[in-house]
Amino acid sequence: MAGANPQHEERGSHAPHLAHHFDSLGQQFESGKLGMWLFLSTEVLLFGGLFCAYAVYRSNHPEIFIYAHQFLDKTLGGINTVVLICSSLSMAWAVRAAQLNQQRLLVILLSLTILGGFGFLGIKFVEYEHKWKHGLLWGARYHPDEHPHDEGQTPEEERSHEEAERAGVTEAETVVETTEAGVVVERSKVLPAA
Amino acid sequence: MTTGDRTVPEGGRSASPAKDEDNYLTHTRGLLSWLTTLDHKRIGVMYLVSILVAFFLGGMAAILVRTEHLTGTPTIMQADSYNKMFTFHGVAMVFLFIIPGIPAALGNFVLPIMLGAKDVAFPRLNLTSWYLWIGGALLAMLSLILGGVETGWTFYTPYSTTTKITSGVIPVVAGAFVLGFSSIFTGLNFIVTVHKLRPPGMGWFRLPLFVWGLYATALVQILATPVLGITLLLLIVERAFGYGIFDPALGGDPILFQHFFWFYSHPAVYIMILPGMGIMSELVSVFSRKHIFSYKFIAYSSIAIAVFGFLVWGHHMFTSGQSPAMSMIFSALTFSVAIPSAIKVFNWTATMYKGAITLKTPMLYALSFIFLFGIGGLTGLFLGSLVTNQYLHDSYFVVAHFHYVMFGGTVVAFLGGLHYWWPKMFGRLYSDRLGQLACLLMFVGVNVTFFSQFLLGSHGMPRRYFNYPAQFTPLHVLSTIGSYMLVASFLLIAYYLLDSLVRGKKAPDNPWGGATLEWQTTSPPPVENFKKTPIVGDPYDFSCLRYDPEIGGYIRIQEGAS
């Protein structure tokens, strides 16, 4: 028989942030931390499934991915990644600042995070608006323009377009091969002819 | 409980009116106080009511399906309604009843008390998961209004992404997605609670085995359910926007859906059965008045089942065209799951050996479980071996197999647990005689309903078929008669349990002589679970408990006094 449990007495109830069912702030903090890690593990598995579907689709139809990458904007995508990582950093740092009672730093970091959030949305708006205008939509609604890069090109876009055209010869061949499977018939016609 | 002495209770304390004045049921009143409660006990009771409603609806669908099969021609419905009916039965039973059943209803109530804690680690998250359950259930019902779903509960593609007959696929799949998160949050809550809220003196090997079962279940819940979530999301996206992830006409891979689906849904089978096995360990030990045999093996075998459960999903796909090498590996791994399951069954049997067995209602359910789960588990080996699977695949043999496991296993264990903790939850005793009668009726009913389906399957009756040749009629009629017996037993159970709430005798604190902590508090427990600090000891050491005929329950005798 172990003895009675002293932690279950009402000690520590004076701490204002301590929930009634925890014995100490340390226990409460540790529980929250474990819970957050467990939640993150579920996120890994959620996206794991998504990446798995992506990998299967890509290995089944590599030509679609080679064809589609020419429509992507590397610069905006790169900036977006940096914005995301930086705002994650500023958010995590803000939590630490809150725990250490550094209010000024906390306000600065939270503002940076919010700024990053709007920056992300702004970049996405530019990217998606572009895709929408040229009919680069999902599945059944995919109706691309004949010449997707006619208007409003940035030099960056032009360059990637040229790269794609240079690579066009081999891609066109890949696509012709797979049309036998009846997959991407209409897509072959928008490929830049070499 | 006003006495300061922690081991010698006042005589007749169960009848003392002072105790009844403040417990978790009466502490606050009104519907709103329930809907906004953060008390794990009330959330457990709300879950109990909700899942029983789902069980009733799913059961009605099952009875309609069985009634339809009274003849080999249309009996009471058309083929289309029949498809919708068995789909609804499957969805309601799997996603709304069995998966949340034991953990969210009984586990929520008992787990923190077993740990001597005041609540689960995250009470708000706990309430959130109940609301998510309600949301998911409403979405599933919405699909009925929109015309129903006839894909079966497995939502296999490409049928589920292309079928035009019904428009209910998206809401029901979205409902299952939401229910998945409800399940994840419950699992997350339990893991943190077991890790962080154990009292001093309760090491991992002093946990009640029900807690081990819930812990293993929670691991599966948080590791498998997200994959189902993303799969269902992809299915919705495909159906709504015409993406070609699973539809071969658009370059997708329908087998990928089956892999994804069973990567969750096979472990989900263990989400359903592991908590039931945990209840079994409690019941067998308490009602044999004997220490559980080989505690550590039972505890580890729960974890082993959870781990093996992730590696066997391919056995649902032996006939899907996956490579023979893969099928062989999955078949071998499937056989390996039998080992930890058998360890449990042998240990329960060994626990009963030379025990002082009392055949109270919960113990009758425990004995039924061993018998029915034995049949369900062993017939799984027929399906896990490649040659017999070719013949039995998608036949009534499969239906009978998983109903023996899910009904004969999980539902029977759930009822055993419900009868075991009912006096603790509501502070009332039900009629043991009626309980025994209902259990007997159910035991016969399960065997009549589902054993006949083993015969149907091995004679070649495919599952999910609307009509059948005349040769199958006698066995189908027999199975339907069995299902009516099940209805009768459930009506009886509903009657005497509800009756006990009104007219039942007041329950003593420890009516069965359990040594786990929940029996050290009052029935029903106070809001903060314990008025005085419970004594942590071996959860299966019954030597310090003595039956007191005056209060009709067990009391703790002073250490060294006898």
Side-chain angles (χ1 to χ4, degrees), chain A residues 19-21, chain B residues 36-40 43 119-131 185 189:
Chain A
H20 80 285
H21 58 290
Chain B
T36 57
T37 183
L38 298 179
D39 183 348
H40 70 98
I43 294 170
D119 210 320
V120 292
F122 309 115
R124 277 194 182 79
L125 193 64
N126 202 12
L127 184 65
T128 309
S129 65
W130 182 75
Y131 276 106
F185 290 153
N189 228 331

Side-chain angles (χ1 to χ4, degrees), chain B residues 40 44 101-113 120 190 210 214 421:
Chain B
H40 70 98
I102 296 177
L106 298 178
N108 235 331
F109 190 96
V110 180
L111 176 94
I113 312 183
V120 292
F190 284 4
F210 182 47
L214 288 174
W421 284 300

